[in-house]
Amino acid sequence: LECPFFTQGVLLIAIRRPYDLGDRILVCSPDNVKNPGYAYTWFVEDINVFTTTIRFAATNEVATVNNGTLSTLRIVNCSRSSNAVVSFTLKFKLDQMSSDTTALFKNEVLALVKQRTRAWESLLFFRCNEIDTNINLVVFQMSVKHRRTWQDASLILEHRADILWHCMELGRQLGVNYVSPIPSNKIMLTERKIEKLQDEQPFVSEKPPTLESAMKVAGLS
């Protein structure tokens, strides 16, 4: 069993060559239908016949992995992938999003993309994706193509934040930004009850991925 496993690792490096030094890669199980995303990417630090050393992008922690193990996993090379496609989900008030307002919003976004020519290549689409009349909600999906690959994820995320901020500000000016309603059956807790609840089950903010969680996602643990 060890010999075929070793051979697969050698073939991965010598023939398939899915990555080079410095490449940002995403590793996950072939059975994982959902892409874990850029938060779980690694930089290739060293490659030899037996192992590959990778550095976790989120924390700079380093791991060395057997090439035979990597040969059984799905490897996405962010450096070799074409221009990054960045998606946005925008929520608006249904009764305020007329066809004219929608066209205005889209044209403003298109103008912004053309203005940022060093960052963005084109607006791929801007379309309605979901409508919920019960809560006066309409959801639009927007996709923009960047000029860089996901190798430069940090820069792309900065540019994404820029567009997201402009969309939020434009929505505020037009009075269309959606605010989730407070459920009618929501129970108002007293300060004493809140303190008790916090003691029993503290509220913990979402933390960035750790090396352990990244190894688990990648199928390396």
Side-chain angles (χ1 to χ4, degrees), residues 49-188:
V49 177
F50 304 102
T51 61
T52 295
T53 300
I54 49 181
R55 174 168 53 88
F56 188 37
T59 62
N60 263 355
E61 293 171 280
V62 175
T64 299
V65 186
N66 190 300
N67 292 333
T69 300
L70 288 172
S71 69
T72 64
L73 302 174
R74 183 174 67 202
I75 302 172
V76 178
N77 190 315
C78 298
S79 177
R80 297 180 189 176
S81 303
S82 57
N83 305 52
V85 173
V86 184
S87 298
F88 301 80
T89 300
L90 306 173
K91 297 182 178 182
F92 303 118
K93 297 174 184 176
L94 178 59
D95 59 1
Q96 298 296 320
M97 286 300 286
S98 64
S99 56
D100 290 341
T101 305
T102 301
L104 174 61
F105 198 101
K106 179 179 179 180
N107 288 336
E108 288 291 334
V109 172
L110 187 58
L112 179 64
V113 170
K114 290 181 177 179
Q115 214 175 48
R116 308 285 200 271
T117 53
R118 292 188 177 182
W120 303 102
E121 184 173 302
S122 62
L123 173 65
L124 298 179
F125 62 81
F126 178 88
R127 60 175 178 243
C128 176
N129 196 50
E130 179 187 344
I131 294 177
D132 191 334
T133 56
N134 293 321
I135 56 175
N136 193 34
L137 169 67
V138 58
V139 180
F140 278 78
Q141 200 69 31
M142 182 174 75
S143 194
V144 189
K145 182 184 287 188
H146 202 275
R147 293 194 177 277
R148 302 287 190 95
T149 67
W150 279 112
Q151 176 76 11
D152 301 311
S154 297
L155 180 63
I156 293 172
L157 292 178
E158 286 182 19
H159 292 161
R160 181 184 186 276
D162 174 59
I163 285 191
L164 202 56
W165 174 261
H166 278 80
C167 286
M168 184 183 70
E169 181 61 22
L170 178 59
R172 185 188 65 79
Q173 293 173 10
L174 295 174
V176 298
N177 284 343
Y178 180 77
V179 179
S180 300
I182 299 175
S184 58
N185 61 347
K186 183 176 178 65
I187 301 174
M188 302 302 294

